[in-house]
Amino acid sequence: MKAILVLVGDGTTDKRRERAVSLRAIATFDVRTRGGVGNALASWFGAALAHPLRGGLEEEGQGTAFFSASTRADERAPSREFHPLATEWEAMREELGREPETAHLLFMREYLGRPLVHVRSSSTRVRRPNAQAQLLFGADRGGLDDPAFCSGVVEFLVAALDTVNPAFAWLGADAPASEETNLDWVLGRRVRDSVREARTLLRGYSWTTVCPEELSRRLGGPDALAATGAFHAVHPLRAGGVVLQASRTPAEYTDDVLRGVFEALRTVLPPGTPRFEPAHPELRYVPEDAARPAR
């Protein structure tokens, strides 16, 4: 399964990233995901409620905010609504465990009149047994140069993935809100192909990158990755895999830091020479073939 988190925050001072004002995460879940794709979906949605949406259910109960939540078993099935979510969450969690083709959770505050958080999942692009999910956050949720906000986002990611050993995940401010990673775009890789190969070749890299257990082992494990000096923090996942946070915030994810991440992960990155993608100039990557020896 593939999951995407988008947090819209403040811009950075880096001229190359003026357009990249959103922080997004992708997590790929597949048949080797611990507990299955449905378990991972439930963990992702549950972590969203327990971390960035902590307190949201209480606001719903007070009438100052509301959730719109639904699932659909397949494209021909009717939607199943879960409202109010404060009393229906356990039923929705059970439904997520059945791996619905799509699922949605939209959080809004009455006085703002616009979505603050949108969680969704779908298997349409990557096809079962894989799927994709997204979390989208409104701009008032925090800034890309705010260490506390960014620490909370990483905390969400660790909590969502700790017991599932995902095939891949990332958090970054350097790509459009789509299923593709930076390397999917610049190497011309199809999403379905990169998802299928995610435990053999890392799908991409960014401010925070998650390697599955299979690739973490090839890189020497969490201690060896921490010893490279390329990462601000290294968080091992209990079910396998490791969360690699390159800097305190995306605003501090400079070209030098990016280069360090590339070098630390080089041996598990897909081969090929990246090509500039004019439709997405905000993409950030090292323009070298990872398969060639380091300079």
Side-chain angles (χ1 to χ4, degrees):
M1 130 124 210
K2 189 178 169 208
I4 300 175
L5 163 67
V6 182
L7 309 181
V8 179
D10 299 331
T12 73
T13 57
D14 188 333
K15 294 294 184 182
R16 293 177 55 198
R17 290 180 292 166
E18 286 181 348
R19 292 178 59 193
V21 295
S22 65
L23 179 64
R24 64 188 282 260
I26 299 174
T28 301
F29 304 133
D30 59 10
V31 292
R32 282 188 268 177
T33 297
R34 184 74 61 85
V37 170
N39 174 61
L41 271 177
S43 179
W44 187 269
F45 278 72
L49 288 171
H51 291 271
L53 279 174
R54 185 184 297 126
L57 295 178
E58 182 178 341
E59 292 180 58
E60 181 190 47
Q62 295 170 345
T64 56
F66 67 92
F67 285 97
S68 173
S70 66
T71 61
R72 179 174 290 175
D74 58 57
E75 60 184 8
R76 293 176 296 278
S79 294
R80 180 179 177 186
E81 304 290 334
F82 300 91
H83 179 76
L85 191 60
T87 58
E88 290 289 319
W89 164 238
E90 289 305 321
M92 185 174 182
R93 182 198 295 274
E94 183 177 340
E95 190 70 14
L96 289 169
R98 299 189 182 102
E99 302 181 18
E101 184 169 82
T102 63
H104 295 267
L105 190 162
L106 185 69
F107 175 71
M108 301 180 70
R109 285 202 181 96
E110 296 283 359
Y111 66 89
L112 289 178
R114 64 178 184 271
L116 289 179
V117 180
H118 187 193
V119 190
R120 64 179 183 174
S121 66
S122 173
S123 61
T124 304
R125 282 285 308 272
V126 294
R127 306 297 178 188
R128 294 179 180 176
N130 309 308
Q132 155 201 317
Q134 296 188 9
L135 254 73
L136 301 125
F137 285 69
D140 65 332
R141 303 300 289 186
L144 303 186
D145 58 354
D146 179 350
F149 168 71
C150 295
S151 176
V153 175
V154 175
E155 179 184 340
F156 155 79
L157 193 64
V158 173
L161 305 178
D162 196 35
T163 62
V164 301
N165 185 26
F168 170 73
W170 82 347
L171 279 165
D174 50 358
S178 68
E179 295 88 346
E180 289 82 0
T181 69
N182 60 338
L183 296 185
D184 289 342
W185 285 109
V186 301
L187 293 178
R189 304 181 76 209
R190 295 197 315 167
V191 171
R192 272 182 279 179
D193 292 338
S194 70
V195 167
R196 188 180 64 251
E197 300 170 354
R199 293 184 187 270
T200 303
L201 296 169
L202 193 64
R203 297 193 61 226
Y205 52 89
S206 190
W207 167 60
T208 296
T209 306
V210 181
C211 293
E213 183 178 24
E214 294 86 346
L215 299 186
S216 174
R217 246 189 275 117
R218 282 169 51 189
L219 293 166
D223 290 343
L225 285 161
T228 66
F231 304 104
H232 167 72
V234 173
H235 304 276
L237 298 174
R238 285 186 296 160
V242 62
V243 178
L244 306 168
Q245 182 182 348
S247 57
R248 287 191 314 161
T249 69
E252 296 173 0
Y253 185 54
T254 64
D255 287 347
D256 287 343
V257 175
L258 181 151
R259 162 64 73 172
V261 170
F262 173 80
E263 295 296 346
L265 301 176
R266 177 191 284 269
T267 58
V268 297
L269 295 176
T273 301
R275 297 183 181 276
F276 176 70
E277 173 52 65
H280 299 293
E282 70 273 28
L283 294 172
R284 298 187 66 212
Y285 55 94
V286 174
E288 295 178 15
D289 185 345
R292 294 181 179 175
R295 295 176 182 175

